[in-house]
Amino acid sequence: AIVPIDGIAIHTWANDKPIAVILEAFVKLVSIVESLHSVDLVHADIKPNNVLVSQDNAPSLIDFGSATTPSLQPPNLEYTPGFAAPELLRGEPCSRATDRYALGALLYTLLTGTNPFRTADETALRHLPLISIPLPPSTLNPLVPQTIDTLTSQLLFREPSARMVPFAELKEISLGACTERPAPPHIGMTKARESPMRAIVSGLDGACVVVSIYGKKGSGRSTIADFAMHTAITHGYNEHDSTQG
């Protein structure tokens, strides 16, 4: 039977909501996705317009037109740029890790008001996840807790196996962060941080990369270098393979 759902798209709903309320709704959504995966189903198109939130802040996941099983998938799977995992952009099969990436992209959007690559250009969104790493959501919203910064980044890892945070842990971290202090703010230098992010991806893909960070004393060179190195290690780069001057 078709059941009507009375609610609004989750990104619209989240506009005026405190982070704690957003995280509580996110936990409920995670439980819905967990139920799908428990019966070997992958939604494959989790995005803001496919999550409706009722007046009592309960999310519903809709539009199962792309839903499939990891072992049986249609040849031309539909996906939404900005929320599609890198493997989908490469034409590879989706998996439970694909839904986790979409959850990370959705959470990023709810916390910051924009998708992880901060553009509406579909051509760019089909390319950027393959060559870059999103900046932490606290770069755009200094109220985001540290653990949520880390969790969101992990859900957006390029390597599918690295995203496989257990659902119970996802929910525990999200609920625990409701009373957590914000992460140390990333103030300014957004564009300056993006070049090292792309260099990290090139290095992870096997290219030899040299990054030169220059500027006047006190301009933030060390901050950018430390930020880039932390991100690189988090994404699997070996600290001993690099030399910092």
Side-chain angles (χ1 to χ4, degrees):
I2 298 176
V3 180
I5 297 174
D6 183 16
I8 59 175
I10 194 168
H11 60 305
T12 302
W13 165 85
N15 278 340
D16 59 349
K17 299 296 188 297
I19 286 180
V21 175
I22 291 172
L23 291 176
E24 288 169 359
F26 177 72
V27 167
K28 294 175 183 177
L29 177 60
V30 169
S31 291
I32 294 172
V33 177
E34 182 179 20
S35 297
L36 283 180
H37 289 192
S38 70
V39 293
D40 204 30
L41 276 179
V42 176
H43 186 278
D45 195 23
I46 298 172
K47 60 183 178 180
N49 285 332
N50 280 346
V51 181
L52 302 182
V53 183
S54 64
Q55 290 186 345
D56 59 353
N57 297 335
S60 296
L61 185 59
I62 65 171
D63 192 353
F64 286 75
S66 296
T68 183
T69 66
S71 58
L72 179 63
Q73 300 186 26
N76 298 309
L77 189 68
E78 294 291 331
Y79 60 79
T80 302
F83 299 89
E87 59 269 22
L88 289 184
L89 301 177
R90 292 191 293 262
E92 299 169 3
C94 70
S95 67
R96 293 172 179 83
T98 306
D99 274 355
R100 280 174 169 79
Y101 184 96
L103 282 171
L106 177 63
L107 181 57
Y108 195 107
T109 301
L110 300 180
L111 296 172
T112 67
T114 180
N115 64 65
F117 294 95
R118 309 191 315 283
T119 179
D121 185 328
E122 286 202 7
T123 301
L125 289 173
R126 295 175 192 273
H127 181 59
L128 287 173
L130 302 177
I131 65 166
S132 189
I133 297 171
L135 295 172
S138 63
T139 305
L140 303 178
N141 182 355
L143 297 179
V144 174
Q146 179 71 63
T147 52
I148 296 302
D149 236 17
T150 302
L151 178 64
T152 306
S153 296
Q154 185 170 359
L155 290 173
L156 294 172
F157 278 177
R158 294 168 72 245
E159 173 56 44
S161 62
R163 300 181 211 132
M164 295 303 289
V165 183
F167 283 116
E169 187 176 336
L170 269 179
K171 292 185 282 188
E172 181 181 357
I173 291 172
S174 299
L175 288 176
C178 289
T179 57
E180 186 183 330
R181 290 186 176 185
H186 299 280
I187 300 174
M189 300 187 292
T190 299
K191 290 188 177 298
R193 296 174 193 271
E194 289 178 337
S195 293
M197 296 302 99
R198 297 192 182 193
I200 289 167
V201 172
S202 296
L204 291 171
D205 287 342
C208 179
V209 180
V210 177
V211 177
S212 177
I213 301 175
Y214 59 90
K216 296 180 180 179
K217 184 177 181 180
S219 63
R221 293 173 299 169
S222 296
T223 298
I224 292 175
D226 291 344
F227 174 81
M229 182 56 66
H230 172 75
T231 303
I233 294 170
T234 300
H235 282 260
Y237 194 73
N238 189 339
E239 185 176 12
H240 301 292
D241 291 341
S242 65
T243 301
Q244 274 187 285

